Amino acid sequence: KLAAILEPREKAGFTVTVPALPGLLIEDRTRDEALPNIRAAIALYLESVEDDSIPQPGAKRVELVI
């Protein structure tokens, strides 16, 4: 399991990042669009890491501080 951070954009929609996967970022109009799309993006990211014979990144502990 990996943590995904959904952040509302200033005008509309969401930006989604995954702290354990550097450079992975998607933007979608709604939360309902963002969730399946980030899952697909994670799968593609991990697939490309496997194809490149690079060790998969480990999950990092993420702490939310407000």
Coordinates of all heavy atoms in Angstrom, one line a residue:
K1 N 0.8 -1.2 0.0 CA 0.0 0.0 0.0 C 0.9 1.2 0.0 O 1.9 1.3 0.7 CB -0.9 0.0 1.2 CG -1.9 -1.1 1.2 CD -2.8 -1.0 2.4 CE -3.9 -2.1 2.3 NZ -4.8 -2.0 3.4
L2 N 0.5 2.2 -0.8 CA 1.2 3.5 -0.8 C 0.3 4.6 -0.5 O -0.9 4.6 -0.9 CB 1.8 3.7 -2.3 CG 2.8 2.7 -2.7 CD1 3.1 2.8 -4.2 CD2 4.1 2.8 -1.9
A3 N 0.8 5.6 0.1 CA 0.0 6.8 0.4 C -0.1 7.7 -0.8 O 0.9 8.0 -1.4 CB 0.6 7.6 1.6
A4 N -1.3 8.2 -1.1 CA -1.4 9.2 -2.2 C -2.0 10.5 -1.5 O -2.9 10.4 -0.7 CB -2.4 8.7 -3.2
I5 N -1.5 11.6 -2.0 CA -1.9 12.9 -1.4 C -2.7 13.6 -2.5 O -2.2 13.9 -3.6 CB -0.7 13.7 -1.0 CG1 0.1 13.0 0.1 CG2 -1.2 15.1 -0.5 CD1 1.4 13.7 0.5
L6 N -4.0 13.8 -2.2 CA -4.9 14.6 -3.1 C -5.0 16.0 -2.6 O -5.3 16.3 -1.4 CB -6.3 14.0 -3.0 CG -6.5 12.7 -3.8 CD1 -6.1 11.5 -3.0 CD2 -8.0 12.6 -4.2
E7 N -4.6 16.9 -3.4 CA -4.6 18.3 -3.1 C -5.5 19.1 -4.0 O -5.4 19.0 -5.2 CB -3.2 19.0 -3.1 CG -2.3 18.3 -2.1 CD -0.9 19.0 -2.3 OE1 -0.7 20.0 -1.6 OE2 -0.1 18.5 -3.0
P8 N -6.5 19.8 -3.5 CA -7.3 20.6 -4.4 C -6.5 21.7 -5.1 O -5.6 22.3 -4.5 CB -8.4 21.3 -3.5 CG -8.1 20.8 -2.1 CD -6.8 20.0 -2.1
R9 N -6.8 21.9 -6.4 CA -6.1 22.9 -7.2 C -6.8 24.2 -6.9 O -8.0 24.2 -6.5 CB -6.1 22.6 -8.6 CG -5.2 21.4 -8.9 CD -4.9 21.2 -10.4 NE -6.2 20.9 -11.0 CZ -6.4 20.5 -12.3 NH1 -5.3 20.3 -13.0 NH2 -7.5 20.3 -12.8
E10 N -6.2 25.3 -7.2 CA -6.7 26.6 -6.9 C -8.0 26.9 -7.6 O -9.0 27.4 -7.0 CB -5.7 27.7 -7.3 CG -6.0 29.1 -6.7 CD -4.9 30.0 -6.9 OE1 -3.8 29.7 -6.4 OE2 -5.2 31.1 -7.5
K11 N -8.1 26.6 -8.9 CA -9.3 26.9 -9.7 C -10.3 25.7 -9.7 O -11.5 25.9 -9.4 CB -8.9 27.2 -11.1 CG -8.2 28.6 -11.2 CD -8.0 29.0 -12.6 CE -7.3 30.4 -12.6 NZ -7.3 31.0 -13.9
A12 N -9.8 24.5 -9.9 CA -10.7 23.3 -9.9 C -9.9 22.1 -10.1 O -8.8 22.1 -10.6 CB -11.7 23.4 -11.1
G13 N -10.4 21.0 -9.6 CA -9.8 19.7 -9.7 C -8.8 19.4 -8.6 O -8.8 20.1 -7.6
F14 N -8.0 18.3 -8.8 CA -7.1 17.8 -7.8 C -5.7 17.5 -8.5 O -5.7 17.1 -9.6 CB -7.6 16.5 -7.2 CG -8.8 16.8 -6.4 CD1 -10.1 16.7 -6.9 CD2 -8.7 17.0 -5.0 CE1 -11.2 16.9 -6.2 CE2 -9.8 17.2 -4.2 CZ -11.1 17.1 -4.8
T15 N -4.7 17.7 -7.7 CA -3.4 17.2 -8.0 C -3.1 16.0 -7.0 O -3.4 16.2 -5.9 CB -2.3 18.3 -7.8 OG1 -2.6 19.4 -8.7 CG2 -0.9 17.8 -8.0
V16 N -2.6 14.9 -7.6 CA -2.3 13.8 -6.7 C -0.9 13.4 -6.9 O -0.4 13.3 -8.0 CB -3.2 12.6 -7.1 CG1 -3.1 11.4 -6.1 CG2 -4.7 13.0 -7.2
T17 N -0.2 13.2 -5.7 CA 1.2 12.8 -5.7 C 1.3 11.5 -4.8 O 0.4 11.3 -4.0 CB 2.1 13.9 -5.2 OG1 1.7 14.3 -3.9 CG2 2.2 15.1 -6.1
V18 N 2.4 10.8 -5.0 CA 2.7 9.6 -4.1 C 4.1 9.8 -3.6 O 5.1 9.7 -4.4 CB 2.6 8.3 -5.0 CG1 2.9 7.1 -4.1 CG2 1.2 8.2 -5.6
P19 N 4.2 10.2 -2.3 CA 5.5 10.5 -1.8 C 6.6 9.4 -2.0 O 7.8 9.7 -2.2 CB 5.3 10.7 -0.3 CG 3.9 11.1 -0.2 CD 3.2 10.4 -1.3
A20 N 6.2 8.2 -2.0 CA 7.2 7.1 -2.1 C 7.6 6.9 -3.6 O 8.6 6.1 -3.8 CB 6.6 5.8 -1.6
L21 N 7.0 7.6 -4.5 CA 7.3 7.4 -6.0 C 7.6 8.8 -6.5 O 6.8 9.5 -7.1 CB 6.1 6.8 -6.7 CG 5.7 5.4 -6.2 CD1 4.5 4.9 -7.0 CD2 6.8 4.4 -6.2
P22 N 8.9 9.2 -6.4 CA 9.3 10.5 -6.9 C 8.9 10.8 -8.4 O 9.1 9.9 -9.2 CB 10.8 10.5 -6.7 CG 11.1 9.4 -5.8 CD 10.0 8.4 -6.0
G23 N 8.4 12.0 -8.6 CA 8.0 12.4 -9.9 C 6.6 11.9 -10.4 O 6.2 12.4 -11.5
L24 N 5.9 11.1 -9.6 CA 4.6 10.7 -10.0 C 3.6 11.7 -9.6 O 3.5 12.0 -8.4 CB 4.3 9.3 -9.4 CG 2.9 8.7 -9.7 CD1 2.8 8.5 -11.2 CD2 2.7 7.5 -9.0
L25 N 2.9 12.3 -10.6 CA 1.9 13.3 -10.3 C 0.8 13.2 -11.4 O 1.1 13.0 -12.6 CB 2.6 14.7 -10.4 CG 1.7 15.9 -10.2 CD1 2.4 16.9 -9.4 CD2 1.3 16.5 -11.6
I26 N -0.4 13.3 -11.0 CA -1.5 13.4 -11.9 C -2.4 14.6 -11.5 O -2.4 15.0 -10.4 CB -2.3 12.1 -12.0 CG1 -3.1 11.8 -10.7 CG2 -1.5 10.9 -12.4 CD1 -4.2 10.8 -10.9
E27 N -3.2 15.0 -12.5 CA -4.2 16.1 -12.2 C -5.5 15.6 -12.8 O -5.5 15.1 -14.0 CB -3.7 17.4 -12.9 CG -2.5 18.0 -12.2 CD -2.1 19.3 -12.8 OE1 -2.4 19.6 -14.0 OE2 -1.4 20.1 -12.1
D28 N -6.6 15.7 -12.1 CA -7.9 15.3 -12.5 C -8.9 16.4 -12.1 O -8.7 17.1 -11.2 CB -8.3 14.0 -12.0 CG -7.8 12.8 -12.9 OD1 -8.2 12.9 -14.1 OD2 -7.1 12.0 -12.5
R29 N -10.1 16.3 -12.8 CA -11.1 17.2 -12.4 C -11.9 16.9 -11.2 O -12.3 17.8 -10.5 CB -12.1 17.3 -13.6 CG -11.6 17.9 -14.9 CD -12.6 17.9 -16.0 NE -12.7 16.5 -16.4 CZ -13.7 16.0 -17.1 NH1 -14.7 16.8 -17.5 NH2 -13.8 14.8 -17.4
T30 N -12.0 15.6 -10.8 CA -12.8 15.2 -9.6 C -12.0 14.2 -8.9 O -11.1 13.5 -9.4 CB -14.1 14.6 -10.0 OG1 -13.9 13.4 -10.7 CG2 -15.0 15.6 -10.9
R31 N -12.4 14.0 -7.6 CA -11.8 13.0 -6.8 C -12.1 11.6 -7.3 O -11.3 10.7 -7.3 CB -12.3 13.1 -5.3 CG -11.7 12.2 -4.4 CD -12.4 12.4 -3.0 NE -11.7 11.5 -2.0 CZ -12.0 10.3 -1.8 NH1 -12.9 9.6 -2.5 NH2 -11.3 9.6 -0.8
D32 N -13.3 11.4 -7.8 CA -13.7 10.2 -8.4 C -12.9 9.8 -9.6 O -12.7 8.6 -9.9 CB -15.2 10.2 -8.8 CG -16.1 10.2 -7.5 OD1 -15.6 9.8 -6.4 OD2 -17.3 10.6 -7.6
E33 N -12.5 10.7 -10.4 CA -11.6 10.5 -11.5 C -10.1 10.2 -11.1 O -9.4 9.4 -11.6 CB -11.6 11.6 -12.5 CG -12.8 11.8 -13.3 CD -12.8 13.1 -14.2 OE1 -11.8 13.9 -14.1 OE2 -13.7 13.3 -14.9
A34 N -9.7 10.9 -10.0 CA -8.3 10.9 -9.6 C -8.0 9.5 -9.0 O -6.9 9.1 -9.2 CB -8.1 12.0 -8.6
L35 N -8.8 8.9 -8.2 CA -8.5 7.7 -7.5 C -8.1 6.6 -8.4 O -7.1 6.0 -8.3 CB -9.6 7.4 -6.5 CG -9.7 8.4 -5.3 CD1 -10.8 7.9 -4.4 CD2 -8.4 8.5 -4.6
P36 N -9.0 6.2 -9.4 CA -8.6 5.1 -10.3 C -7.4 5.5 -11.2 O -6.6 4.6 -11.5 CB -9.8 4.8 -11.1 CG -10.7 6.0 -10.9 CD -10.4 6.7 -9.6
N37 N -7.3 6.8 -11.5 CA -6.2 7.2 -12.3 C -4.8 7.1 -11.6 O -3.8 6.8 -12.2 CB -6.4 8.6 -12.9 CG -7.5 8.6 -14.0 OD1 -7.8 7.5 -14.6 ND2 -8.1 9.7 -14.2
I38 N -4.8 7.4 -10.3 CA -3.6 7.3 -9.6 C -3.2 5.9 -9.4 O -2.0 5.5 -9.4 CB -3.6 8.1 -8.2 CG1 -2.2 8.3 -7.7 CG2 -4.5 7.5 -7.2 CD1 -1.2 9.1 -8.5
R39 N -4.2 5.0 -9.2 CA -3.9 3.6 -9.1 C -3.3 3.1 -10.4 O -2.3 2.3 -10.3 CB -5.2 2.8 -8.8 CG -5.6 3.0 -7.4 CD -6.9 2.1 -7.0 NE -7.4 2.3 -5.7 CZ -8.4 3.1 -5.4 NH1 -9.1 3.7 -6.4 NH2 -8.8 3.3 -4.2
A40 N -3.8 3.5 -11.5 CA -3.2 3.1 -12.8 C -1.8 3.7 -13.0 O -0.9 3.0 -13.5 CB -4.1 3.5 -13.9
A41 N -1.6 4.9 -12.6 CA -0.3 5.6 -12.7 C 0.7 4.8 -11.8 O 1.9 4.7 -12.2 CB -0.4 7.0 -12.3
I42 N 0.3 4.4 -10.6 CA 1.2 3.7 -9.7 C 1.6 2.4 -10.4 O 2.8 2.0 -10.4 CB 0.6 3.5 -8.4 CG1 0.5 4.8 -7.6 CG2 1.3 2.4 -7.6 CD1 -0.4 4.7 -6.3
A43 N 0.6 1.7 -11.0 CA 0.9 0.4 -11.6 C 1.9 0.6 -12.8 O 2.9 -0.2 -12.9 CB -0.4 -0.3 -12.1
L44 N 1.7 1.6 -13.6 CA 2.6 1.9 -14.7 C 4.0 2.3 -14.2 O 5.0 1.8 -14.8 CB 2.1 3.0 -15.6 CG 0.9 2.6 -16.4 CD1 0.3 3.8 -17.1 CD2 1.3 1.5 -17.5
Y45 N 4.1 3.1 -13.2 CA 5.3 3.5 -12.6 C 6.1 2.2 -12.1 O 7.3 2.1 -12.5 CB 5.1 4.4 -11.4 CG 6.3 5.0 -10.8 CD1 6.6 6.4 -11.0 CD2 7.1 4.3 -9.9 CE1 7.8 6.9 -10.4 CE2 8.3 4.9 -9.3 CZ 8.6 6.2 -9.6 OH 9.7 6.7 -9.0
L46 N 5.5 1.4 -11.3 CA 6.1 0.2 -10.8 C 6.5 -0.8 -11.9 O 7.6 -1.4 -11.9 CB 5.3 -0.5 -9.8 CG 5.0 0.3 -8.5 CD1 4.1 -0.4 -7.5 CD2 6.3 0.7 -7.8
E47 N 5.7 -0.9 -13.0 CA 6.0 -1.7 -14.1 C 7.3 -1.2 -14.8 O 8.1 -2.0 -15.2 CB 4.8 -1.7 -15.1 CG 5.0 -2.6 -16.3 CD 3.8 -2.6 -17.2 OE1 2.7 -2.9 -16.7 OE2 3.9 -2.2 -18.3
S48 N 7.4 0.1 -15.0 CA 8.6 0.6 -15.6 C 9.8 0.4 -14.8 O 10.9 0.2 -15.3 CB 8.4 2.1 -16.0 OG 8.5 2.9 -14.9
V49 N 9.7 0.5 -13.5 CA 10.8 0.3 -12.6 C 11.3 -1.2 -12.7 O 12.4 -1.5 -12.8 CB 10.4 0.6 -11.1 CG1 11.5 0.1 -10.2 CG2 10.2 2.1 -11.0
E50 N 10.3 -2.1 -12.8 CA 10.6 -3.5 -13.0 C 11.3 -3.7 -14.3 O 12.3 -4.5 -14.4 CB 9.4 -4.4 -12.9 CG 8.8 -4.5 -11.5 CD 7.5 -5.3 -11.5 OE1 7.1 -5.8 -12.5 OE2 7.0 -5.4 -10.4
D51 N 10.8 -3.1 -15.4 CA 11.4 -3.2 -16.7 C 12.8 -2.7 -16.7 O 13.7 -3.2 -17.5 CB 10.6 -2.5 -17.7 CG 9.2 -3.1 -18.0 OD1 9.0 -4.3 -17.6 OD2 8.4 -2.5 -18.6
D52 N 13.2 -1.7 -15.9 CA 14.5 -1.1 -15.9 C 15.4 -1.8 -15.0 O 16.6 -1.4 -14.8 CB 14.4 0.3 -15.6 CG 13.7 1.2 -16.6 OD1 13.6 0.7 -17.8 OD2 13.2 2.3 -16.3
S53 N 15.0 -2.9 -14.3 CA 15.8 -3.7 -13.4 C 16.3 -2.8 -12.2 O 17.4 -3.0 -11.7 CB 16.9 -4.4 -14.1 OG 16.4 -5.3 -15.0
I54 N 15.5 -1.8 -11.9 CA 15.9 -0.9 -10.7 C 15.1 -1.4 -9.6 O 13.9 -1.6 -9.7 CB 15.6 0.6 -11.1 CG1 16.4 1.0 -12.3 CG2 15.9 1.5 -9.9 CD1 16.1 2.4 -12.8
P55 N 15.6 -1.5 -8.4 CA 14.8 -1.9 -7.2 C 13.6 -1.0 -7.0 O 13.7 0.3 -7.2 CB 15.8 -1.7 -6.0 CG 17.1 -1.7 -6.6 CD 17.0 -1.2 -8.0
Q56 N 12.5 -1.5 -6.7 CA 11.3 -0.7 -6.5 C 11.5 0.1 -5.2 O 12.1 -0.4 -4.2 CB 10.1 -1.6 -6.3 CG 9.7 -2.3 -7.6 CD 8.4 -3.1 -7.4 OE1 7.6 -2.9 -6.5 NE2 8.1 -3.9 -8.3
P57 N 11.0 1.3 -5.2 CA 11.1 2.2 -4.1 C 10.3 1.6 -2.9 O 9.3 1.0 -3.1 CB 10.5 3.5 -4.5 CG 9.7 3.2 -5.7 CD 10.2 1.9 -6.3
G58 N 10.8 1.7 -1.7 CA 10.1 1.3 -0.5 C 9.1 2.3 -0.1 O 9.2 3.5 -0.3
A59 N 8.1 1.8 0.6 CA 7.1 2.7 1.2 C 7.8 3.6 2.3 O 8.5 3.0 3.1 CB 5.9 2.0 1.7
K60 N 7.4 4.8 2.3 CA 7.9 5.7 3.4 C 6.8 6.0 4.3 O 5.6 6.0 3.9 CB 8.5 7.0 2.8 CG 9.6 6.8 1.8 CD 10.0 8.1 1.2 CE 11.1 7.9 0.2 NZ 11.5 9.2 -0.4
R61 N 7.2 6.3 5.5 CA 6.1 6.6 6.5 C 5.8 8.1 6.2 O 6.6 9.0 6.1 CB 6.7 6.5 7.9 CG 5.7 6.9 9.0 CD 6.2 6.8 10.3 NE 5.3 7.4 11.2 CZ 5.1 7.0 12.5 NH1 5.8 6.0 13.0 NH2 4.2 7.6 13.2
V62 N 4.5 8.3 6.1 CA 4.0 9.7 5.9 C 3.2 10.1 7.1 O 2.3 9.4 7.5 CB 3.1 9.7 4.6 CG1 2.5 11.1 4.4 CG2 3.9 9.3 3.4
E63 N 3.4 11.3 7.6 CA 2.7 11.8 8.7 C 2.0 13.1 8.4 O 2.7 14.0 7.8 CB 3.7 12.0 9.9 CG 3.0 12.4 11.2 CD 4.0 12.4 12.3 OE1 5.0 11.7 12.3 OE2 3.8 13.2 13.3
L64 N 0.8 13.2 8.6 CA 0.0 14.4 8.3 C 0.0 15.3 9.5 O -0.4 14.9 10.6 CB -1.4 14.0 7.9 CG -2.4 15.2 7.6 CD1 -1.8 16.0 6.4 CD2 -3.7 14.7 7.3
V65 N 0.5 16.5 9.4 CA 0.6 17.4 10.5 C -0.2 18.7 10.0 O 0.1 19.3 9.0 CB 2.0 17.8 10.8 CG1 2.1 18.8 11.9 CG2 2.8 16.6 11.1
I66 N -1.2 19.0 10.8 CA -2.0 20.2 10.4 C -1.8 21.3 11.4 O -1.7 21.1 12.6 CB -3.5 19.8 10.4 CG1 -3.7 18.7 9.3 CG2 -4.3 21.0 10.1 CD1 -5.1 18.2 9.3

